[in-house]
């Protein structure tokens, strides 16, 4: 297989896993709304290892958000937040604290809190946008931080320790 096909295959696999994990979380009421704990967001660490994770995560988020019962605008806004986070994670992958990419794990927290928090506030509290935004950005950010700094951090460690998996994922 040539490099282009490998890139597309990796991106498609990441998209599929992201969408499925999000939908599994939705069964338990964890994937959508002001308080979110998307297991799939742990995959937002994958751009540390592979450029194909950037389109993979974005497409996975589009698929997951299309299937949600939340406002259709979430497909655009939520997926854009994921794209920005993935690009920034990839660009800053070599910035570490004692060898760990703490900054890269923060980008999904930041962009989801800002974009998804604003989106939820716009639709649920348009007359009190600032108060709604503050609350929703906080709750979305806390959920995202919980996922990134527990499951995401564990996934980074697991991939680094498992050389075979690392070679399978890495570009």
């Amino acid at each position: 297989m040539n490099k282009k096909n490998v890139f597309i295959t990796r991106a498609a696999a990441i998209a599929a896993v992201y969408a499925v994990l999000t939908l599994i979380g939705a069964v338990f009421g964890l994937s959508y709304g002001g308080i979110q704990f998307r297991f799939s967001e742990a995959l937002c660490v994958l751009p540390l290892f592979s450029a194909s994770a950037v389109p993979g995560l974005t497409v996975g988020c589009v698929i997951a958000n299309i299937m949600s019962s939340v406002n259709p605008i979430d497909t655009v806004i939520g997926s854009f937040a994921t794209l920005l986070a993935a690009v920034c994670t990839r660009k800053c992958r070599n910035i570490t604290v004692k060898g760990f990419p703490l900054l890269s794990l923060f980008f999904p927290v930041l962009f989801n809190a800002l974009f998804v928090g604003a989106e939820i506030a716009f639709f649920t509290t348009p007359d009190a946008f600032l108060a709604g935004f503050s609350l929703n950005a906080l709750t979305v950010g806390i959920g995202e931080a919980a996922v990134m700094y527990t499951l995401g951090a564990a996934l980074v460690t697991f991939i680094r320790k498992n050389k075979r998996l690392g070679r399978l994922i890495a570009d």
Side-chain angles (χ1 to χ4, degrees), residues 18 22 34 40 42 44 51 55 60 74 78 82 84 101 105 112 116-117 129 141 147-148 158:
Y18 183 98
T22 301
S40 54
C44 289
D74 188 44
T82 297
L84 287 176
L105 272 62
N112 278 294
V116 177
F129 179 79
V147 170
M148 291 306 297
F158 181 74

Side-chain angles (χ1 to χ4, degrees), residues 29-46:
L30 299 172
S31 295
Y32 305 103
I35 299 174
Q36 300 181 9
F37 192 87
R38 281 190 180 189
F39 307 118
S40 54
E41 286 293 302
L43 299 177
C44 289
V45 302
L46 294 180

Side-chain angles (χ1 to χ4, degrees), residues 41-49 57 82 84-97 100-111 144 148-149 152-153 156 160:
E41 286 293 302
L43 299 177
C44 289
V45 302
L46 294 180
L48 293 169
F49 305 99
L57 291 168
T82 297
L84 287 176
V87 167
C88 291
T89 297
R90 182 74 183 158
K91 294 281 185 195
C92 296
R93 69 187 178 277
N94 295 322
I95 300 171
T96 63
V97 176
F100 202 78
L102 290 176
L103 176 62
S104 290
L105 272 62
F106 180 69
F107 290 118
V109 176
L110 174 66
F111 290 118
E144 188 72 20
M148 291 306 297
Y149 289 103
V156 169
R160 285 181 171 175

Side-chain angles (χ1 to χ4, degrees), residues 61-62 64-79 119 123:
C61 188
V62 167
N65 289 348
I66 284 173
M67 297 197 177
S68 82
S69 61
V70 180
N71 192 301
I73 200 80
D74 188 44
T75 302
V76 176
I77 293 174
S79 301
E119 173 193 347
F123 288 107

Side-chain angles (χ1 to χ4, degrees), residues 152-163:
L155 184 56
V156 169
T157 302
F158 181 74
I159 292 170
R160 285 181 171 175
K161 286 185 178 181
N162 188 326
K163 300 298 181 194

